[in-house]
mmCIF file of all heavy atoms in Angstrom:
data_model
loop_
_atom_site.group_PDB
_atom_site.id
_atom_site.type_symbol
_atom_site.label_atom_id
_atom_site.label_comp_id
_atom_site.label_asym_id
_atom_site.label_seq_id
_atom_site.Cartn_x
_atom_site.Cartn_y
_atom_site.Cartn_z
ATOM 1 N N ARG B 21 -7.215 -36.784 13.166
ATOM 2 C CA ARG B 21 -5.863 -36.708 12.448
ATOM 3 C C ARG B 21 -4.757 -36.233 13.243
ATOM 4 O O ARG B 21 -4.961 -35.406 14.149
ATOM 5 C CB ARG B 21 -6.115 -35.824 11.206
ATOM 6 C CG ARG B 21 -6.545 -34.409 11.452
ATOM 7 C CD ARG B 21 -6.936 -33.705 10.272
ATOM 8 N NE ARG B 21 -5.793 -33.296 9.419
ATOM 9 C CZ ARG B 21 -5.928 -32.704 8.242
ATOM 10 N NH1 ARG B 21 -7.164 -32.685 7.676
ATOM 11 N NH2 ARG B 21 -4.965 -32.374 7.521
ATOM 12 N N VAL B 28 -6.291 -26.653 14.113
ATOM 13 C CA VAL B 28 -7.409 -25.948 14.619
ATOM 14 C C VAL B 28 -6.985 -24.857 15.721
ATOM 15 O O VAL B 28 -7.851 -24.073 16.148
ATOM 16 C CB VAL B 28 -8.468 -26.867 15.329
ATOM 17 C CG1 VAL B 28 -9.065 -27.874 14.250
ATOM 18 C CG2 VAL B 28 -7.904 -27.544 16.475
ATOM 19 N N TYR B 34 2.162 -22.490 7.600
ATOM 20 C CA TYR B 34 1.926 -22.621 6.103
ATOM 21 C C TYR B 34 2.966 -21.788 5.401
ATOM 22 O O TYR B 34 3.870 -21.188 6.022
ATOM 23 C CB TYR B 34 0.506 -22.143 5.843
ATOM 24 C CG TYR B 34 -0.550 -23.093 6.337
ATOM 25 C CD1 TYR B 34 -0.991 -23.118 7.586
ATOM 26 C CD2 TYR B 34 -1.079 -24.122 5.328
ATOM 27 C CE1 TYR B 34 -1.873 -23.986 8.027
ATOM 28 C CE2 TYR B 34 -2.035 -24.983 5.879
ATOM 29 C CZ TYR B 34 -2.429 -24.925 7.148
ATOM 30 O OH TYR B 34 -3.357 -25.830 7.623
ATOM 31 N N ASP B 37 3.833 -18.341 6.456
ATOM 32 C CA ASP B 37 4.094 -18.131 7.848
ATOM 33 C C ASP B 37 5.637 -18.235 8.251
ATOM 34 O O ASP B 37 5.912 -18.086 9.352
ATOM 35 C CB ASP B 37 3.334 -19.242 8.687
ATOM 36 C CG ASP B 37 1.846 -19.135 8.527
ATOM 37 O OD1 ASP B 37 1.352 -18.166 8.095
ATOM 38 O OD2 ASP B 37 1.127 -20.224 8.756
ATOM 39 N N HIS B 127 5.642 -3.234 1.487
ATOM 40 C CA HIS B 127 5.131 -2.005 0.832
ATOM 41 C C HIS B 127 6.315 -1.295 -0.031
ATOM 42 O O HIS B 127 6.009 -0.962 -1.153
ATOM 43 C CB HIS B 127 4.705 -1.045 1.943
ATOM 44 C CG HIS B 127 3.670 -1.643 2.778
ATOM 45 N ND1 HIS B 127 2.359 -1.654 2.496
ATOM 46 C CD2 HIS B 127 3.774 -2.178 4.069
ATOM 47 C CE1 HIS B 127 1.658 -2.242 3.352
ATOM 48 N NE2 HIS B 127 2.486 -2.569 4.399
ATOM 49 N N GLN B 213 -7.831 -23.791 -9.812
ATOM 50 C CA GLN B 213 -7.881 -24.633 -8.722
ATOM 51 C C GLN B 213 -8.523 -23.992 -7.518
ATOM 52 O O GLN B 213 -9.198 -24.558 -6.646
ATOM 53 C CB GLN B 213 -6.491 -25.275 -8.332
ATOM 54 C CG GLN B 213 -5.826 -26.136 -9.434
ATOM 55 C CD GLN B 213 -5.115 -25.158 -10.407
ATOM 56 O OE1 GLN B 213 -5.119 -23.980 -10.366
ATOM 57 N NE2 GLN B 213 -4.382 -25.789 -11.395
ATOM 58 N N ARG B 298 -3.888 -12.715 -4.349
ATOM 59 C CA ARG B 298 -4.846 -13.514 -5.112
ATOM 60 C C ARG B 298 -4.943 -13.235 -6.591
ATOM 61 O O ARG B 298 -5.064 -14.176 -7.351
ATOM 62 C CB ARG B 298 -6.263 -13.236 -4.472
ATOM 63 C CG ARG B 298 -7.473 -14.064 -5.068
ATOM 64 C CD ARG B 298 -7.140 -15.564 -5.109
ATOM 65 N NE ARG B 298 -6.703 -16.116 -3.898
ATOM 66 C CZ ARG B 298 -6.512 -17.346 -3.707
ATOM 67 N NH1 ARG B 298 -6.515 -18.233 -4.613
ATOM 68 N NH2 ARG B 298 -6.147 -17.830 -2.521
ATOM 69 N N ILE B 489 -1.910 -32.660 2.207
ATOM 70 C CA ILE B 489 -2.871 -31.550 1.894
ATOM 71 C C ILE B 489 -4.164 -31.863 2.501
ATOM 72 O O ILE B 489 -5.084 -30.930 2.775
ATOM 73 C CB ILE B 489 -3.039 -31.459 0.389
ATOM 74 C CG1 ILE B 489 -1.729 -31.373 -0.258
ATOM 75 C CG2 ILE B 489 -3.849 -30.101 0.084
ATOM 76 C CD1 ILE B 489 -1.703 -31.118 -1.749
ATOM 77 N N GLU B 649 -14.844 -39.362 2.399
ATOM 78 C CA GLU B 649 -16.128 -38.615 2.164
ATOM 79 C C GLU B 649 -15.771 -37.205 1.838
ATOM 80 O O GLU B 649 -16.345 -36.533 0.962
ATOM 81 C CB GLU B 649 -17.087 -38.633 3.381
ATOM 82 C CG GLU B 649 -17.643 -40.023 3.683
ATOM 83 C CD GLU B 649 -18.003 -40.200 5.177
ATOM 84 O OE1 GLU B 649 -17.978 -39.149 5.930
ATOM 85 O OE2 GLU B 649 -18.340 -41.277 5.513
ATOM 86 N N GLY B 650 -14.796 -36.651 2.646
ATOM 87 C CA GLY B 650 -14.394 -35.213 2.446
ATOM 88 C C GLY B 650 -13.855 -35.068 1.099
ATOM 89 O O GLY B 650 -14.104 -34.016 0.466
ATOM 90 N N GLU B 666 -17.800 -20.613 -12.400
ATOM 91 C CA GLU B 666 -16.344 -20.351 -12.454
ATOM 92 C C GLU B 666 -15.847 -20.197 -13.905
ATOM 93 O O GLU B 666 -16.103 -21.060 -14.778
ATOM 94 C CB GLU B 666 -15.475 -21.381 -11.752
ATOM 95 C CG GLU B 666 -15.729 -21.370 -10.248
ATOM 96 C CD GLU B 666 -14.871 -22.420 -9.544
ATOM 97 O OE1 GLU B 666 -13.674 -22.616 -9.970
ATOM 98 O OE2 GLU B 666 -15.383 -22.975 -8.578
ATOM 99 N N PRO B 687 -17.782 -21.567 -5.188
ATOM 100 C CA PRO B 687 -18.997 -21.709 -4.288
ATOM 101 C C PRO B 687 -18.766 -21.299 -2.772
ATOM 102 O O PRO B 687 -17.672 -21.667 -2.249
ATOM 103 C CB PRO B 687 -19.416 -23.201 -4.436
ATOM 104 C CG PRO B 687 -18.710 -23.706 -5.622
ATOM 105 C CD PRO B 687 -17.517 -22.794 -5.812
ATOM 106 N N CYS B 689 -20.585 -21.676 1.199
ATOM 107 C CA CYS B 689 -21.329 -22.714 1.708
ATOM 108 C C CYS B 689 -22.765 -22.502 1.570
ATOM 109 O O CYS B 689 -23.610 -23.420 1.723
ATOM 110 C CB CYS B 689 -20.980 -22.907 3.279
ATOM 111 S SG CYS B 689 -21.210 -21.498 4.294
ATOM 112 N N ILE B 695 -23.627 -32.759 0.787
ATOM 113 C CA ILE B 695 -23.295 -33.602 -0.270
ATOM 114 C C ILE B 695 -23.318 -35.092 0.236
ATOM 115 O O ILE B 695 -22.421 -35.426 0.978
ATOM 116 C CB ILE B 695 -21.893 -33.316 -0.960
ATOM 117 C CG1 ILE B 695 -21.794 -31.789 -1.286
ATOM 118 C CG2 ILE B 695 -21.648 -34.267 -2.080
ATOM 119 C CD1 ILE B 695 -22.797 -31.370 -2.395
ATOM 120 N N GLU C 28 -1.573 -7.596 8.603
ATOM 121 C CA GLU C 28 -0.193 -7.590 8.424
ATOM 122 C C GLU C 28 0.513 -7.419 9.821
ATOM 123 O O GLU C 28 1.503 -8.148 10.083
ATOM 124 C CB GLU C 28 0.157 -6.372 7.576
ATOM 125 C CG GLU C 28 1.679 -6.345 7.297
ATOM 126 C CD GLU C 28 2.129 -5.071 6.556
ATOM 127 O OE1 GLU C 28 1.230 -4.421 5.900
ATOM 128 O OE2 GLU C 28 3.320 -4.792 6.544
ATOM 129 N N ARG C 31 0.299 -10.735 11.776
ATOM 130 C CA ARG C 31 1.145 -11.842 11.263
ATOM 131 C C ARG C 31 2.646 -11.411 11.322
ATOM 132 O O ARG C 31 3.412 -12.246 11.833
ATOM 133 C CB ARG C 31 0.845 -12.174 9.813
ATOM 134 C CG ARG C 31 -0.554 -12.872 9.692
ATOM 135 C CD ARG C 31 -0.953 -13.095 8.210
ATOM 136 N NE ARG C 31 0.126 -13.778 7.523
ATOM 137 C CZ ARG C 31 0.434 -15.069 7.635
ATOM 138 N NH1 ARG C 31 -0.331 -15.836 8.251
ATOM 139 N NH2 ARG C 31 1.467 -15.677 7.051
ATOM 140 N N THR C 37 0.434 -15.824 13.499
ATOM 141 C CA THR C 37 0.251 -16.354 12.117
ATOM 142 C C THR C 37 -0.790 -17.324 11.874
ATOM 143 O O THR C 37 -0.997 -17.819 10.764
ATOM 144 C CB THR C 37 1.667 -16.953 11.563
ATOM 145 O OG1 THR C 37 2.008 -17.956 12.534
ATOM 146 C CG2 THR C 37 2.711 -15.920 11.408
ATOM 147 N N LYS C 40 -4.910 -16.101 8.703
ATOM 148 C CA LYS C 40 -4.383 -16.362 7.269
ATOM 149 C C LYS C 40 -4.799 -15.304 6.329
ATOM 150 O O LYS C 40 -5.826 -14.733 6.450
ATOM 151 C CB LYS C 40 -4.750 -17.726 6.832
ATOM 152 C CG LYS C 40 -4.395 -18.846 7.782
ATOM 153 C CD LYS C 40 -2.861 -18.977 7.986
ATOM 154 C CE LYS C 40 -2.521 -20.155 8.808
ATOM 155 N NZ LYS C 40 -1.138 -20.173 9.299
ATOM 156 N N GLY C 42 -5.850 -14.921 2.365
ATOM 157 C CA GLY C 42 -6.245 -15.686 1.256
ATOM 158 C C GLY C 42 -6.535 -14.841 0.141
ATOM 159 O O GLY C 42 -6.349 -15.324 -1.036
ATOM 160 N N GLN C 91 -13.418 -26.246 18.208
ATOM 161 C CA GLN C 91 -12.246 -26.975 17.699
ATOM 162 C C GLN C 91 -12.271 -28.485 17.810
ATOM 163 O O GLN C 91 -11.901 -29.160 16.894
ATOM 164 C CB GLN C 91 -11.052 -26.437 18.551
ATOM 165 C CG GLN C 91 -10.712 -24.952 18.278
ATOM 166 C CD GLN C 91 -9.656 -24.389 19.254
ATOM 167 O OE1 GLN C 91 -9.795 -24.622 20.398
ATOM 168 N NE2 GLN C 91 -8.741 -23.652 18.630
ATOM 169 N N LEU C 100 -11.899 -30.392 8.428
ATOM 170 C CA LEU C 100 -10.777 -29.630 7.664
ATOM 171 C C LEU C 100 -10.017 -30.657 6.867
ATOM 172 O O LEU C 100 -9.941 -31.778 7.133
ATOM 173 C CB LEU C 100 -9.865 -28.994 8.706
ATOM 174 C CG LEU C 100 -9.105 -29.848 9.710
ATOM 175 C CD1 LEU C 100 -7.801 -29.392 10.064
ATOM 176 C CD2 LEU C 100 -9.956 -30.065 10.953
ATOM 177 N N GLN C 101 -9.499 -30.116 5.759
ATOM 178 C CA GLN C 101 -8.614 -30.968 4.985
ATOM 179 C C GLN C 101 -7.296 -30.266 4.979
ATOM 180 O O GLN C 101 -6.371 -30.623 5.695
ATOM 181 C CB GLN C 101 -9.117 -31.145 3.531
ATOM 182 C CG GLN C 101 -10.258 -32.229 3.646
ATOM 183 C CD GLN C 101 -10.861 -32.488 2.267
ATOM 184 O OE1 GLN C 101 -10.202 -32.390 1.212
ATOM 185 N NE2 GLN C 101 -12.169 -32.846 2.205
ATOM 186 N N CYS C 102 -7.016 -29.244 4.167
ATOM 187 C CA CYS C 102 -5.738 -28.569 4.157
ATOM 188 C C CYS C 102 -5.600 -27.740 5.420
ATOM 189 O O CYS C 102 -4.458 -27.459 5.878
ATOM 190 C CB CYS C 102 -5.435 -27.676 2.868
ATOM 191 S SG CYS C 102 -6.237 -26.091 2.890
ATOM 192 N N ARG C 129 -25.111 -21.693 7.113
ATOM 193 C CA ARG C 129 -24.627 -21.450 5.777
ATOM 194 C C ARG C 129 -24.498 -20.011 5.393
ATOM 195 O O ARG C 129 -23.573 -19.489 4.836
ATOM 196 C CB ARG C 129 -25.358 -22.247 4.689
ATOM 197 C CG ARG C 129 -25.119 -23.712 4.852
ATOM 198 C CD ARG C 129 -25.826 -24.498 3.773
ATOM 199 N NE ARG C 129 -25.587 -25.937 3.751
ATOM 200 C CZ ARG C 129 -24.557 -26.606 3.416
ATOM 201 N NH1 ARG C 129 -23.518 -25.963 2.718
ATOM 202 N NH2 ARG C 129 -24.402 -27.890 3.553
ATOM 203 N N ARG C 138 -12.080 -24.513 -0.047
ATOM 204 C CA ARG C 138 -11.916 -25.077 -1.330
ATOM 205 C C ARG C 138 -11.828 -26.648 -1.208
ATOM 206 O O ARG C 138 -11.931 -27.297 -2.210
ATOM 207 C CB ARG C 138 -10.843 -24.478 -2.077
ATOM 208 C CG ARG C 138 -10.839 -24.827 -3.549
ATOM 209 C CD ARG C 138 -12.068 -24.379 -4.349
ATOM 210 N NE ARG C 138 -11.717 -24.202 -5.805
ATOM 211 C CZ ARG C 138 -12.615 -23.985 -6.712
ATOM 212 N NH1 ARG C 138 -13.881 -23.861 -6.349
ATOM 213 N NH2 ARG C 138 -12.215 -23.876 -7.963
ATOM 214 N N CYS C 139 -11.623 -27.139 0.001
ATOM 215 C CA CYS C 139 -11.358 -28.604 0.136
ATOM 216 C C CYS C 139 -12.525 -29.396 0.453
ATOM 217 O O CYS C 139 -12.797 -30.545 -0.050
ATOM 218 C CB CYS C 139 -10.269 -28.841 1.170
ATOM 219 S SG CYS C 139 -8.693 -28.217 0.781
ATOM 220 N N TYR C 142 -17.718 -28.042 2.324
ATOM 221 C CA TYR C 142 -18.568 -27.434 3.406
ATOM 222 C C TYR C 142 -19.384 -28.430 4.217
ATOM 223 O O TYR C 142 -19.727 -28.095 5.335
ATOM 224 C CB TYR C 142 -19.462 -26.214 2.929
ATOM 225 C CG TYR C 142 -18.682 -25.204 2.207
ATOM 226 C CD1 TYR C 142 -18.860 -25.048 0.882
ATOM 227 C CD2 TYR C 142 -17.889 -24.273 2.898
ATOM 228 C CE1 TYR C 142 -18.197 -24.007 0.135
ATOM 229 C CE2 TYR C 142 -17.224 -23.284 2.206
ATOM 230 C CZ TYR C 142 -17.330 -23.103 0.873
ATOM 231 O OH TYR C 142 -16.744 -22.139 0.220
ATOM 232 N N ASP C 143 -19.648 -29.547 3.704
ATOM 233 C CA ASP C 143 -20.654 -30.447 4.390
ATOM 234 C C ASP C 143 -20.167 -30.735 5.863
ATOM 235 O O ASP C 143 -20.875 -30.451 6.811
ATOM 236 C CB ASP C 143 -20.708 -31.773 3.606
ATOM 237 C CG ASP C 143 -21.571 -32.721 4.135
ATOM 238 O OD1 ASP C 143 -21.372 -33.262 5.334
ATOM 239 O OD2 ASP C 143 -22.549 -33.181 3.477
ATOM 240 N N LYS C 144 -18.930 -31.140 5.954
ATOM 241 C CA LYS C 144 -18.474 -31.567 7.341
ATOM 242 C C LYS C 144 -18.226 -30.266 8.234
ATOM 243 O O LYS C 144 -18.287 -30.305 9.456
ATOM 244 C CB LYS C 144 -17.278 -32.344 7.230
ATOM 245 C CG LYS C 144 -17.526 -33.646 6.592
ATOM 246 C CD LYS C 144 -16.346 -34.623 6.750
ATOM 247 C CE LYS C 144 -16.610 -35.934 5.859
ATOM 248 N NZ LYS C 144 -17.862 -36.644 6.235
#
Side-chain angles (χ1 to χ4, degrees):
Chain B
R21 61 192 282 172
V28 298
Y34 290 81
D37 300 339
H127 304 281
Q213 299 84 355
R298 180 54 50 184
I489 313 187
E649 292 156 8
E666 292 183 36
C689 60
I695 307 297
Chain C
E28 184 185 345
R31 289 180 51 80
T37 52
K40 304 301 181 190
Q91 291 172 312
L100 61 149
Q101 283 177 31
C102 83
R129 290 183 181 277
R138 191 61 157 172
C139 294
Y142 302 108
D143 184 297
K144 293 187 191 305

